[in-house]
Amino acid sequence: LFVNDNTLYVVDESVDTVFAIDRQTRALSAILGSPEGLEAPEDVIMLSNGTLLVTDDVSGKIWQYRNGVVSRWGLSTHLEPEALFETDEGTVWVSDNRNRTITHYTAEGTSLEVITFALNYEDIQGVAADRNGNVYVVTADGYASSTVIPSYLWKLTRKQ
């Protein structure tokens, strides 16, 4: 889910589609879907340069949509990309559930750094960063059990 000016972007994994909703007229249009290669869209953001990014955890790809053209973003090697976040500086954080990582990228998709979580922590549902360089991550099912365990919010800080 992402709001940009007058448009609301929504991923619907059940129909493998990203929709754009005009907030004034409520007009709904499908902008990405199965014909473009999406298999299970998970998250969507619009970068400050106008590029729409979509994670697809089944295909393992991150798709970009700009000026009506769909292509793969960056040279990522994600197995199960989930959450996206753009920083104020224009860099992008992406979580990967299968690899248990979050990766920091340039806006063009070049990897800057990778943070790996311990085996116990999986199902990274959200990622964000603040202006001080702290990274926040939400994980579900923190101990990889089949029981209902509440989500965890992690604050990652840099060693000084």
Side-chain angles (χ1 to χ4, degrees):
L1 180 64
F2 186 81
V3 178
N4 183 35
D5 298 326
N6 195 39
T7 305
L8 178 67
Y9 296 93
V10 180
V11 295
D12 187 339
E13 187 176 7
S14 69
V15 292
D16 305 328
T17 305
V18 178
F19 294 99
I21 303 169
D22 185 294
R23 294 175 56 204
Q24 290 182 344
T25 67
R26 296 188 181 175
L28 175 72
S29 58
I31 58 170
L32 292 171
S34 299
E36 291 82 22
L38 261 70
E39 296 181 50
E42 285 289 336
D43 197 7
V44 60
I45 62 169
M46 182 172 286
L47 302 181
S48 53
N49 67 12
T51 300
L52 197 70
L53 294 183
V54 179
T55 54
D56 185 340
D57 66 354
V58 171
S59 73
K61 297 176 183 169
I62 301 170
W63 297 97
Q64 64 180 351
Y65 177 79
R66 185 170 174 84
N67 300 324
V69 177
V70 179
S71 60
R72 188 169 179 178
W73 181 74
L75 299 173
S76 61
T77 57
H78 294 284
L79 297 174
E80 198 174 301
E82 179 96 15
L84 294 161
F85 179 79
E86 182 183 27
T87 67
D88 291 341
E89 294 79 27
T91 60
V92 179
W93 286 94
V94 180
S95 69
D96 182 340
N97 285 337
R98 183 92 40 91
N99 284 326
R100 295 177 334 278
T101 61
I102 55 173
T103 304
H104 193 197
Y105 290 98
T106 65
E108 295 75 31
T110 302
S111 177
L112 298 170
E113 68 180 308
V114 177
I115 299 171
T116 303
F117 283 78
L119 186 59
N120 298 12
Y121 303 103
E122 56 184 43
D123 203 2
I124 302 167
Q125 292 295 307
V127 60
D130 64 23
R131 290 183 177 144
N132 296 322
N134 298 309
V135 178
Y136 301 86
V137 177
V138 173
T139 60
D141 195 17
Y143 291 100
S145 70
S146 59
T147 61
V148 177
I149 295 177
S151 295
Y152 292 90
L153 173 63
W154 304 94
K155 176 182 176 185
L156 309 177
T157 56
R158 302 204 183 277
K159 292 182 179 179
Q160 299 296 326

